[in-house]
């Protein structure tokens, strides 16, 4: 049976051309994408498109845009079997993470893709990424979608969106899913790793539009000063801090550092411990350098990515969670974003 797919074009390199005057890359409209992939006509699916106006470089992504994107999916959810979102690579992992939280009970594929080289270029990776994404979004067995979750399809790999980060600005292989297996690999055939893919729950889609951006990220580095940590903790209105720690969740044991974080926690700020490493998990208490974090009330983030931690925090704060309930939700896998070790 023919699938109906909606392509949602947000911007990014995939659809860019060079401005003849400045030499800078600027976006062009979706018709030009089709010119570059005449093969789209041969697909056994009906493809419609929705184009954001204006198109954006994904460095300009923000919560209002996420809300618009989620609304487009909600409004078109019943009409289509799957969605392909063309998005810049820079913040694709953030948007994929965020949509995974906003779209509760998602039972259809939402496949993000983009390119490192514009579609207009001979060596573009965009054509292959785009075609793979459409194939995955339309894949069904017995009328049930094969991948009913938010994913990123890039360079012959399909990854759970909220497990990814962009780790390479040069290679076509730009995304990493350091803590979760690939959902599919594209070779001569698309090989789905079905045991790692969500099964549909057949419940009604519920879209969450309230996002609270009153959060900050603090990445630790040797030499970080009290001034810096204190300034962040004292940001007016700050509700949560994502603390990017070393290795398995370790941080300095200096008294001023722990005291400042503790003051923040006492004043109601939730501190979420995620690792700077691209693979592996926070294990608070494993080393002496994380025992104290645990005892002052820092919340361990297990193997969640920073991108996913940001999205989850904005989502949960937007839903009104705070205190112990927020901690509980942060440490509970909601969309397959973390593994409790
Ligand atoms: N700056 C671009 C963006 O993220 C890069 C890309 O599309 O890959 O929108």
């Amino acid at each position: 049976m023919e699938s109906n797919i909606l392509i949602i074009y947000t911007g990014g390199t995939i659809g860019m051309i060079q401005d003849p005057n400045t030499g800078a890359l600027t976006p062009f409209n979706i018709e030009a994408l089709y010119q570059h992939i005449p093969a789209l006509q041969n697909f056994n699916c009906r493809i419609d498109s929705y184009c954001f106006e204006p198109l954006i470089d994904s460095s300009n992504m923000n919560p209002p845009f996420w809300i618009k994107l989620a609304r487009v999916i909600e409004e078109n959810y019943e009409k289509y079997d799957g969605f392909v979102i063309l998005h810049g690579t820079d913040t694709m992992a953030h948007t994929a993470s965020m949509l995974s939280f906003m779209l509760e009970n998602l039972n259809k594929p939402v496949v993000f893709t983009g390119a490192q080289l514009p579609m207009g270029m001979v060596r573009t990776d965009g054509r292959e990424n785009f075609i793979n994404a459409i194939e995955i979004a339309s894949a069904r067995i017995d009328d049930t979608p094969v991948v009913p979750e938010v994913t990123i399809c890039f360079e012959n790999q399909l990854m759970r969106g909220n497990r990814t980060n962009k780790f390479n600005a040069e290679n076509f292989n730009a995304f990493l899913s350091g803590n979760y297996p690939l959902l599919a690999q594209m070779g001569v055939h698309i090989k789905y790793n079905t045991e790692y893919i969500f099964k549909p729950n057949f419940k009604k889609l519920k879209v969450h539009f309230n996002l609270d951006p009153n959060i900050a990220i603090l990445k630790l580095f040797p030499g970080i000063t009290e001034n810096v940590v204190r300034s962040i903790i004292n940001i007016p209105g700050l509700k949560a801090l994502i603390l990017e720690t070393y290795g398995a969740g370790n941080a300095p044991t200096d008294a001023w550092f722990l005291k400042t974080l503790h003051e923040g926690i006492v004043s109601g700020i939730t501190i979420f411990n995620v690792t700077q490493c691209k693979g592996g998990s926070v294990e608070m208490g494993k080393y002496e350098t994380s025992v104290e974090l645990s005892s002052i009330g820092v919340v361990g983030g297990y193997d969640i990515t920073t991108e996913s931690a940001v999205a989850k925090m904005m989502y949960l704060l937007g839903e009104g969670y705070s205190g112990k309930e927020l901690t509980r939700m942060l440490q509970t896998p909601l969309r397959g974003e973390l593994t409790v070790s």
Side-chain angles (χ1 to χ4, degrees), residues 38-149:
L40 285 179
Q41 277 125 30
N42 304 333
F43 265 104
N44 182 28
C45 54
R46 224 198 68 218
I47 300 173
D48 291 333
S49 57
Y50 178 96
C51 191
F52 273 90
E53 197 45 70
L55 293 164
I56 63 161
D57 184 296
S58 79
S59 303
N60 287 318
M61 188 50 69
N62 54 26
F65 200 105
W66 285 329
I67 291 167
K68 285 190 227 158
L69 185 52
R71 189 152 279 131
V72 173
I73 294 175
E74 183 186 45
E75 284 168 359
N76 290 283
Y77 192 72
E78 295 307 326
K79 275 208 312 229
Y80 293 94
D81 300 302
F83 301 84
V84 171
I85 304 183
L86 302 176
H87 192 289
T89 55
D90 289 346
T91 62
M92 189 186 289
H94 283 273
T95 304
S97 298
M98 184 51 98
L99 280 210
S100 77
F101 294 109
M102 294 175 85
L103 305 175
E104 188 178 352
N105 299 328
L106 180 69
N107 282 296
K108 295 185 179 183
V110 172
V111 188
F112 278 80
T113 197
Q116 293 280 63
L117 272 182
M119 198 76 95
M121 291 193 174
V122 179
R123 290 176 51 252
T124 183
D125 51 332
R127 199 175 307 119
E128 184 178 290
N129 287 344
F130 192 22
I131 289 173
N132 280 335
I134 293 175
E135 183 111 25
I136 288 157
S138 54
R140 282 185 291 165
I141 294 176
D142 298 332
D143 213 25
T144 303
V146 178
V147 193
E149 54 173 295

Side-chain angles (χ1 to χ4, degrees), residues 9 15 27-33 51 55:
Y9 182 28
F28 60 51
N29 68 21
I30 195 141
E31 274 70 41
L33 275 174
C51 191
L55 293 164

Side-chain angles (χ1 to χ4, degrees), residues 252-311:
T253 47
D254 298 293
W256 66 261
F257 178 76
L258 294 165
K259 182 169 169 279
T260 312
L261 293 191
H262 187 233
E263 282 168 15
I265 292 168
V266 169
S267 74
I269 296 171
T270 295
I271 303 185
F272 197 33
N273 184 357
V274 306
T275 175
Q276 294 178 11
C277 296
K278 299 294 176 214
S281 184
V282 164
E283 284 179 73
M284 291 207 310
K286 182 172 177 188
Y287 292 92
E288 188 205 350
T289 41
S290 65
V291 169
E292 286 291 330
L293 293 181
S294 220
S295 66
I296 61 171
V298 171
V299 181
Y302 299 106
D303 61 352
I304 198 166
T305 61
T306 299
E307 289 82 346
S308 214
V310 166

